[in-house]
Amino acid sequence: MYVSKRKLVRWMQHKGILKKTMKCGVCKLHMRLEKCRTADGLRWTCAKFHKKVKKSLRQNSIFYKSHSSLKKWMQFIYRFSQGLRLRQLDMISDGIAGSSVTLTRMAQFMRKVCITAHTRMKQRGMKMGGPGTFVVIDESKFT
């Protein structure tokens, strides 16, 4: 299924995965998204005075230091969240990552995100699961 880069970004912004707005570090006015030649096809640019002020679309997101495209990240997160135990070779051949090192790093990162989310839920007195809900947690990852 083909989804345009802009449509994926808008969906991720709607879901709160990426920032909907960004402010210029110089004039503090709102920046706008413009096309560019990055993997994601968009970046933040000052909409008013500072055209040279540019920020990554991924600024202040969990994807900020990653070189993998957002599309590849979403494919990986989908498989990760579904618990699909696909071999790394299959994910490499599907184009999700270029190497097993990248896939290992992505999986480690997602585990950290899940552990952090679980810890925050516990601190707020929230519980996982409930009637009719099946939750699987690898308890060796929690202290």
Side-chain angles (χ1 to χ4, degrees):
M1 179 178 170
Y2 176 78
V3 176
S4 73
K5 291 176 182 179
R6 185 173 288 273
K7 206 175 227 184
L8 176 61
V9 167
R10 294 288 182 219
W11 181 86
M12 292 175 81
Q13 287 175 324
H14 177 73
K15 296 295 182 184
I17 301 169
L18 292 174
K19 296 276 185 187
K20 289 182 182 180
T21 61
M22 186 71 61
K23 290 190 178 179
C24 174
V26 178
C27 66
K28 307 297 183 216
L29 294 175
H30 285 283
M31 300 179 91
R32 63 180 171 80
L33 283 175
E34 73 172 16
K35 285 184 178 183
C36 66
R37 292 185 178 163
T38 63
D40 303 321
L42 296 167
R43 68 177 167 208
W44 293 105
T45 304
C46 182
K48 298 290 179 185
F49 310 108
H50 307 97
K51 299 289 184 190
K52 292 183 180 179
V53 176
K54 296 173 183 357
K55 291 185 181 180
S56 167
L57 169 68
R58 301 168 183 220
Q59 188 86 21
N60 302 326
S61 79
I62 62 174
F63 310 105
Y64 185 60
K65 293 183 180 180
S66 174
H67 296 291
S68 297
S69 72
L70 293 174
K71 181 180 177 183
K72 289 179 182 181
W73 262 108
M74 293 310 297
Q75 289 172 329
F76 178 81
I77 291 170
Y78 173 76
R79 291 185 183 190
F80 183 88
S81 68
Q82 297 297 312
L84 300 175
R85 301 221 181 261
L86 296 173
R87 296 179 310 151
Q88 286 190 349
L89 186 60
D90 294 334
M91 287 197 266
I92 290 170
S93 67
D94 289 346
I96 293 176
S99 71
S100 61
V101 172
T102 301
L103 287 170
T104 300
R105 286 181 183 160
M106 290 170 97
Q108 288 172 339
F109 182 77
M110 289 310 301
R111 285 187 198 99
K112 285 181 186 177
V113 168
C114 292
I115 290 168
T116 302
H118 180 259
T119 303
R120 287 182 183 167
M121 287 178 70
K122 279 177 50 178
Q123 289 172 345
R124 294 177 182 157
M126 300 169 70
K127 294 182 179 181
M128 295 180 82
T133 304
F134 185 72
V135 178
V136 178
I137 299 175
D138 181 355
E139 294 178 14
S140 68
K141 301 293 181 193
F142 298 92
T143 56

